Amino acid sequence: MIDVGASVQAIDTPALVVDLDAMERNIARMAAFAAAHGVHWRPHAKMHKSAALALQMMAAGAVGVCVQKTAEAEAMLAGGVGNIYISNEVVSLSKLQRVAQMAAALKAKNTSDRLAIAVDSAEGVQRLAEAIGRVAGDTRDVIDVFVEIDVGQGRCGVAPGPAAVALARQVAQHPQLRFKGLQAYHGGAQHRRRHAERQQAIAEVLRQVQATRALIEAAGLKVELVTGAGTGTMALEAASGVYGELQSGSFLFMDADYAANEADPARPAFEHALFVKTQVVSTSAAHAVCDAGHKSHAIDSGLPRVFRPDGGPALAYFNGGDEHGILRTAEPGQPLPALGDVLWLIPGHCDPTVNLHDHMVGVRGGLSAGRVERLLRVDARGALT
């Protein structure tokens, strides 16, 4: 493990490195954006999986975190994060027992700290209520509950409209559960390359959310909050007047896939802040080989981009397997890197890349001449249950 204070050159490869200066500029831009639009921001901790980073963003104005797994919630809670939303369905009885224990513990603190969860089925609501009842008895409002509606992702969520109304009513029948509002997230829209395509998708989302909210409120239930949005579409949801909370998480690090989107001028320009440091370990006439393969970065959203902070010919990264990356020049006739040269990779998808590492190395002062300032533990690595 690298020591705090060491030069960036001393970081062994492959390693996951955070440019702290770029990351903190991203946080400041996100905080200013949310404040300017009068919305909360609750960034997804499933992206960075670090309680320390969650707390840093909360100190900057975030209201809490989203997670997707019960175990991620437990890791955040153990790290001192007290306002957690499991923006996913949980139906396993053993997991619901853990959810209930966390919710009851936060409720007992008698503070603003809360646990929230999403539901999309009558059976899921019933199981949740029974689990909370077994742990908390007749205590009221132990956990906040969002009804998730499928607004185009084609994954989880009840159909917008009457089905969502029925589910909200069921939630409200259980005194231990507090109906909070709607979860409306369109993940697929985040990665549509053209801004106009994202606009079109979110316009339809807004139509469905507004219609569903009107029906629920006509039934006598208050929709206190509509939550959702991601880094790719957050400016659209923020400007809508419909969403009160943004779940954008990737803005913190910005991966290569998000960078491939056509820019939205209404959204802040976020910088790349997450890199895999790698070294050239073999060369030939046609290519070079680095020591960062699939075990150091995820490839579900494409291969990483090569970043050269000190300049040099553009390089393209090709699949080299578990332990290696193949590097070729982007333009014919350009020189390849030499044996021992250090390169930096921008991962295609930050979330699963972070999950491959025990620690992230936080560097202050840039990738060329910076020094190690923090070692960030990936608290929720492997938190899959």
Side-chain angles (χ1 to χ4, degrees):
M1 181 62 64
I2 190 74
D3 293 326
V4 171
S7 166
V8 68
Q9 284 84 13
I11 301 171
D12 212 349
T13 59
L16 194 60
V17 176
V18 177
D19 181 334
L20 296 175
D21 299 302
M23 182 191 77
E24 288 169 8
R25 288 191 292 268
N26 288 343
I27 293 173
R29 289 166 185 154
M30 184 66 190
F33 177 86
H37 287 81
V39 295
H40 296 304
W41 55 297
R42 182 183 291 275
H44 255 296
K46 74 180 181 68
M47 192 279 293
H48 55 76
K49 295 181 174 282
S50 164
L53 291 182
L55 292 171
Q56 183 173 348
M57 284 186 278
M58 291 174 71
V63 297
V65 299
C66 292
V67 297
Q68 287 290 86
K69 298 290 186 176
T70 304
E72 288 176 340
E74 290 167 333
M76 291 298 110
L77 188 60
V81 180
N83 199 317
I84 303 167
Y85 171 37
I86 304 173
S87 54
N88 198 4
E89 285 67 33
V90 178
V91 297
S92 159
L93 298 180
S94 60
K95 293 187 184 74
L96 285 170
Q97 177 76 8
R98 292 153 55 193
V99 168
Q101 289 168 345
M102 285 187 286
L106 288 171
K107 175 73 173 180
K109 289 172 63 177
N110 199 28
T111 66
S112 61
D113 288 346
R114 298 283 296 178
L115 186 70
I117 195 167
V119 296
D120 73 351
S121 69
E123 178 68 18
V125 172
Q126 186 62 36
R127 290 184 180 201
L128 174 64
E130 290 173 358
I132 297 291
R134 283 193 294 271
V135 171
D138 295 330
T139 305
R140 298 183 64 86
D141 298 335
V142 177
I143 190 169
D144 292 339
V145 180
F146 289 88
V147 169
E148 180 170 11
I149 56 174
D150 183 359
V151 290
Q153 177 71 7
R155 193 168 57 192
C156 296
V158 68
V165 178
L167 202 57
R169 280 176 163 159
Q170 185 186 358
V171 172
Q173 289 172 0
H174 297 282
Q176 299 95 338
L177 312 183
R178 182 167 69 178
F179 174 66
K180 185 74 170 177
L182 294 173
Q183 157 83 7
Y185 174 70
H186 192 335
Q190 311 306 316
H191 307 282
R192 294 184 182 179
R193 294 302 180 214
R194 294 179 61 244
H195 177 50
E197 293 174 327
R198 299 194 296 277
Q199 281 183 309
Q200 182 178 12
I202 298 305
E204 175 58 19
V205 169
L206 295 175
R207 185 193 66 77
Q208 295 179 68
V209 171
Q210 288 173 305
T212 301
R213 181 173 66 182
L215 288 172
I216 292 174
E217 293 187 338
L221 297 175
K222 180 177 176 55
V223 178
E224 183 177 330
L225 183 65
V226 176
T227 182
T231 298
T233 64
M234 55 179 262
L236 300 168
E237 284 97 342
S240 70
V242 174
Y243 282 75
E245 184 175 89
L246 308 178
Q247 297 175 4
S248 313
S250 295
F251 79 90
L252 185 69
F253 290 156
M254 284 303 289
D255 51 36
D257 185 72
Y258 267 119
N261 282 356
E262 180 183 40
D264 179 351
R267 196 202 72 186
F270 298 118
E271 305 173 49
H272 293 299
L274 185 73
F275 302 87
V276 176
K277 183 185 179 185
T278 186
Q279 185 178 43
V280 175
V281 296
S282 178
T283 61
S284 71
H287 66 266
V289 180
C290 68
D291 62 357
H294 303 337
K295 287 182 181 177
S296 61
H297 57 81
I299 63 170
D300 60 299
S301 293
L303 295 170
R305 283 174 40 209
V306 181
F307 176 63
R308 306 189 77 176
D310 299 321
L315 296 170
Y317 182 101
F318 294 88
N319 188 345
D322 291 351
E323 314 293 351
H324 304 100
I326 308 299
L327 303 167
R328 298 190 178 97
T329 57
E331 298 292 336
Q334 294 293 317
L336 287 162
L339 192 70
D341 280 359
V342 168
L343 301 168
W344 299 86
L345 306 179
I346 301 170
H349 190 182
C350 45
D351 304 36
T353 294
V354 170
N355 195 52
L356 294 170
H357 296 260
D358 291 324
H359 293 84
M360 297 174 279
V361 182
V363 169
R364 179 81 63 191
L367 302 181
S368 298
R371 291 196 170 272
V372 176
E373 183 178 288
R374 304 173 70 182
L375 298 177
L376 293 159
R377 186 172 181 270
V378 183
D379 301 290
R381 181 187 181 187
L384 303 179
T385 64

